[in-house]
Amino acid sequence: MPKPIQCIGDNVSLTTVTIISPEAANGRNVAALGVVRALASTQKTGVFRPAVCKEETFTRTLLDAANVGETIEQARGVCPKRARRDKNGSRADIVAAYETTVAAIDAEAMVIVGTDHSCVNDPETFAFNADVAADLQSPVFLAVCTINRTPEQVRETIKACTATVEEHGSAVLGVFVTGADEEQIPDLKAFFADADVPTWVLPKVDFEEDDAAEKAAEAFDRNVPASEVHAALEAPFKAPVTPYAFQYGLLGKAKAARKTIVLPEGAEDRIIAAADYLLERDIVDLIIVGDKEAILARGEELGLNSLGKAKFQAMDDETVLAPMVAKLCELRAKKGMTEEQARKQLTDASYFGTMLVVLGKADGLVSGSVNSTANTVRPALQVIKTKPGASLVSGSFLMCFKDHIAVFADCAINLNPNAEQLADIAIQSAETAAAFGLEPKVGMLSYSTLGSGKGPDVDLVEEATDLVRQKAPDLQVVGSVQFDAAWSPTVAATKAKGNDVAGHVNVFVFPDLCAGNIAYKAVQRSSGAVAIGPVLQGLNKPVNDLSRGATVQDIINTVALTAVEAQR
C-alpha cells in the first residue's frame, strides 16, 4: 500500500479542547480561564478564538494565563459578523488560521474558546461552535449556566447541547455548571455526581470588575482540581474528519513539498480564480497554458492579484514545441505518428499539457472544467500510460461527509467493467483510501446482500468479490452488498448479520459507471458532502479530471490532491 497522506490532526500528541456554551455568558469565561491555567500548569498551552471581535479584552486575559508567547493576532480567527453571514467560508478560514497558529507556536495543548455573548441573536451560533470544534478535531467542554434554571433544567440543557455536539461530529468530555450561588454549590455537586461525564460547579464571577481574573482563578481552583481536567481530556476521543479539516489538510500537505501542476484550460475563469488562490498562499507552483497577457488581463478584471506568480506557457512556443513533437513521435512510433500529425495533436491544450508532464516540466495535470473526461484521460493513457501491473485506469471520488471520509468508485472511467476489472477497481480504490489514512473496508455494491437477490448482475459482483479476495487476501471486503447494508450498522445487523465489514464500509465499489456517477452526484448535491476528484487511479503520473460543473473550490481541492499524489 502507498504511504498514507497525513492531513489535519496528524499531531496526535496535541491536547485540544473547545469550550462552548449555549449562552456564551454567565460563567463561560471562568471555565475558559480555569482550563487554560490548568493545562498551562503542565504543558505548553496556547489559546485560539475562532470567531471573536477585535475590540474584546478577554482573549488577552486568556493569553496572560497561557505560556507559549502567542500574539493576539495568532489567537484570532475571523470576526463574529463574518461568522454570522458566511458560516461555510468562515469555517474554512478558521481551520487555516488555527493550523497556522499551532504550527507557529509549537504548543502541546490548545484551548479553543467559542463565540462570545452577542446582542445579535443568531439561533445557529451554538451549532456553528459545535461545527468548528469538529473542524478543529477537538473534543468539547460545555459551560451551562444555572441562573434561572433548576438542576433538572440544567441537566436537560446539557443533554440537548450534548446531542448537538455529537450530531455535528465531536464529543462532550466534561461539563461546567456555571453561575451558581455559593450556597447552591454543594447541592448541585451532589445532583450531578452520577453524570455521564465529569461535571463541575462554578460560582458567579463578574468579569466587569477589576480583579475578575484573580477571583475567577481562585473560584476555579477551589472547585475544579486540575488533575480532573487533565483526566477528562484523556478519555477516548475519535477525532472527526470534516470536509474543512480534510481540505485544509490537503492544502497543508501540498504546501509542505510544493510540486508543479499544469492547468491546460487557462482561458477559463474558474481555473484562474483557483490558480490565484493557490498561488497567493504558495501552495503549489503552476504552469498555466495560454496567452500570458490575455490571462493576466482577465485576472485583473476579476480582481485577482497573484496570477503573476504562475509560469505561462504559450502553445506556439517553438522552444517547447519542438522537443515535445519529437517526444510524442517517439512515444507513438508504433502507431505511425508523424511530425505533422504530432503538431496537429498538440494544438489540443489537454494533449499539450499532458506532454509538459511527460517532458518533466510539470509533476501533474488538472483539466476537465471545459473538456470532457475522455479529452483529459485519453492523452494520459496514450503517453503517460498505466503503472506497471495496472490493468486499467479508474476514477474514484473522495467523499467528505460531515465527520468522515469515504471513497466512491468507479465514477468516471469504466462503463461496464467485467468481474476482473471490477476487482481491480476495488483494489485500486482501497489503495487510494489507505493513502489518505483510511483503513479500507470495501463494499462490492449490488441490489443483493450476500445472496438475497439473484441475477447475472449479482453473479458479476460476487465473482468480482471472489477475485478481490484472491488478489488481495488481506483486504477487508464484503459483497455482494446493498448500499444501506454497507453504510449502516443497524441495517447490516439485519441484512448481513455476523459480517464484520458490512455496516462499516468506507470504499464503495459500484457495479458500473452509470450507478457510480449518479450516486456520487446525488449524494454530493443532496447531502452537502464535498466530492473531491475524480482521482484517476493506475496512471504513472497524476492526472486528474474535473467535472464541467466544478466550482472554484472543487478545482482548488483537485489541484492540491494532484500535488499530494505527485509527492508519492
Side-chain angles (χ1 to χ4, degrees):
M1 292 286 185
K3 182 179 178 181
I5 295 165
Q6 304 299 309
C7 295
I8 186 173
D10 294 340
N11 185 1
V12 294
S13 64
L14 181 69
T15 300
T16 64
V17 64
T18 298
I19 302 172
I20 59 176
S21 166
E23 297 94 359
N26 297 330
R28 192 282 312 268
N29 288 358
V30 182
L33 179 60
V35 171
V36 172
R37 292 178 66 253
L39 294 184
S41 67
T42 60
Q43 296 170 280
K44 293 170 62 178
T45 300
V47 171
F48 188 71
R49 305 295 313 278
V52 66
C53 178
K54 290 185 178 180
E55 304 302 320
E56 62 82 42
T57 58
F58 181 60
T59 302
R60 295 186 185 278
T61 302
L62 294 173
L63 289 174
D64 288 341
N67 59 357
V68 289
E70 184 181 357
T71 67
I72 189 73
E73 290 77 16
Q74 289 172 321
R76 290 173 175 154
V78 302
C79 98
K81 183 183 290 186
R82 166 120 192 273
R84 284 197 305 272
R85 294 179 177 179
D86 179 17
K87 289 182 171 58
N88 289 339
S90 294
R91 287 172 64 185
D93 288 343
I94 286 166
V95 172
Y98 174 77
E99 287 297 304
T100 299
T101 294
V102 169
I105 66 177
D106 191 29
E108 297 170 329
M110 289 295 294
V111 180
I112 301 153
V113 183
T115 52
D116 294 326
H117 176 73
S118 173
C119 294
V120 178
N121 181 30
D122 180 356
E124 296 180 0
T125 295
F126 185 77
F128 173 77
N129 283 308
D131 278 331
V132 169
D135 290 337
L136 303 185
Q137 300 189 307
S138 167
V140 168
F141 280 169
L142 286 175
V144 177
C145 184
T146 190
I147 296 174
N148 296 325
R149 289 188 178 120
T150 66
E152 291 79 7
Q153 290 169 336
V154 173
R155 183 175 58 197
E156 292 305 309
T157 303
I158 292 169
K159 286 183 179 179
C161 291
T162 299
T164 297
V165 169
E166 291 176 349
E167 180 186 352
H168 287 256
S170 188
V172 174
L173 299 187
V175 177
F176 294 97
V177 176
T178 65
D181 293 324
E182 288 292 343
E183 61 270 19
Q184 291 179 293
I185 292 178
D187 289 342
L188 285 167
K189 285 184 176 179
F191 184 86
F192 288 105
D194 61 350
D196 293 337
V197 297
T199 302
W200 306 283
V201 183
L202 291 171
K204 298 175 184 176
V205 174
D206 185 356
F207 264 80
E208 296 299 319
E209 297 180 4
D210 291 339
D211 58 350
E214 291 78 9
K215 288 182 177 179
E218 188 277 330
F220 190 94
D221 292 346
R222 182 161 34 92
N223 292 281
V224 185
S227 60
E228 292 185 9
V229 173
H230 285 277
L233 292 176
E234 290 172 359
F237 172 66
K238 183 179 180 180
V241 181
T242 69
Y244 298 96
F246 188 77
Q247 289 174 71
Y248 186 80
L250 280 179
L251 297 176
K253 184 65 178 178
K255 186 173 183 176
R258 283 164 59 179
K259 294 294 183 179
T260 300
I261 306 301
V262 60
L263 303 175
E265 299 165 325
E268 165 59 41
D269 285 355
R270 290 169 294 161
I271 291 289
I272 60 174
D276 184 80
Y277 179 97
L278 293 160
L279 292 165
E280 181 181 358
R281 292 157 179 81
D282 296 321
I283 292 168
V284 292
D285 293 321
L286 293 176
I287 299 174
I288 302 177
V289 176
D291 181 82
K292 177 179 180 178
E293 299 308 318
I295 294 170
L296 290 176
R298 181 55 181 159
E300 188 174 345
E301 291 174 2
L302 295 173
L304 307 177
N305 302 311
S306 299
L307 285 176
K309 292 183 177 182
K311 178 180 178 181
F312 294 86
Q313 182 59 63
M315 293 176 64
D316 59 356
D317 180 352
E318 195 61 30
T319 61
V320 172
L321 192 57
M324 194 178 283
V325 168
K327 186 64 175 178
L328 183 55
C329 288
E330 174 192 332
L331 292 172
R332 303 288 286 165
K334 290 183 179 179
K335 297 295 183 180
M337 177 73 74
T338 65
E339 180 177 336
E340 181 182 358
Q341 290 171 329
R343 285 185 175 273
K344 183 177 181 180
Q345 190 81 75
L346 291 169
T347 60
D348 181 315
S350 292
Y351 229 113
F352 185 91
T354 303
M355 287 303 298
L356 290 174
V357 177
V358 171
L359 292 176
K361 296 182 180 295
D363 302 298
L365 174 144
V366 173
S367 187
S369 67
V370 293
N371 286 290
S372 68
T373 296
N375 283 347
T376 299
V377 176
R378 187 183 300 110
L381 289 173
Q382 291 180 353
V383 296
I384 291 179
K385 302 185 179 179
T386 56
K387 295 176 182 177
S391 64
L392 48 68
V393 172
S394 60
S396 68
F397 277 85
L398 301 173
M399 302 297 292
C400 302
F401 293 96
K402 181 170 57 179
D403 59 0
H404 72 284
I405 308 299
V407 176
F408 282 19
D410 181 351
C411 305
I413 306 295
N414 298 281
L415 291 173
N416 293 293
N418 59 34
E420 186 163 353
Q421 290 170 329
L422 200 57
D424 287 347
I425 290 167
I427 294 168
Q428 286 182 348
S429 302
E431 291 176 348
T432 295
F436 285 93
L438 300 178
E439 180 185 358
K441 296 182 179 181
V442 178
M444 307 295 284
L445 299 177
S446 176
Y447 58 78
S448 168
T449 295
L450 302 180
S452 65
K454 303 296 181 184
D457 293 337
V458 176
D459 295 341
L460 174 71
V461 173
E462 292 183 345
E463 182 184 349
T465 305
D466 289 340
L467 288 170
V468 171
R469 292 191 177 110
Q470 293 171 27
K471 293 183 175 185
D474 294 332
L475 188 60
Q476 298 182 74
V477 60
V478 59
S480 59
V481 64
Q482 292 163 287
F483 189 96
D484 57 352
W487 177 273
S488 168
T490 303
V491 176
T494 300
K495 291 187 173 183
K497 190 173 182 178
N499 189 286
D500 294 336
V501 180
H504 305 284
V505 167
N506 55 15
V507 178
F508 296 84
V509 180
F510 294 86
D512 55 49
L513 181 59
C514 185
N517 193 270
I518 290 170
Y520 103 78
K521 288 182 178 177
V523 169
Q524 176 190 29
R525 299 300 177 183
S526 62
S527 75
V530 175
I532 301 178
V535 181
L536 297 187
Q537 304 169 149
L539 286 168
N540 267 319
K541 294 278 188 178
V543 171
N544 284 316
D545 179 44
L546 297 165
S547 166
R548 279 169 285 180
T551 65
V552 171
Q553 187 63 56
D554 292 336
I555 297 167
I556 291 168
N557 292 340
T558 304
V559 173
L561 172 77
T562 306
V564 172
E565 285 187 286
Q567 294 170 9
R568 292 194 281 135

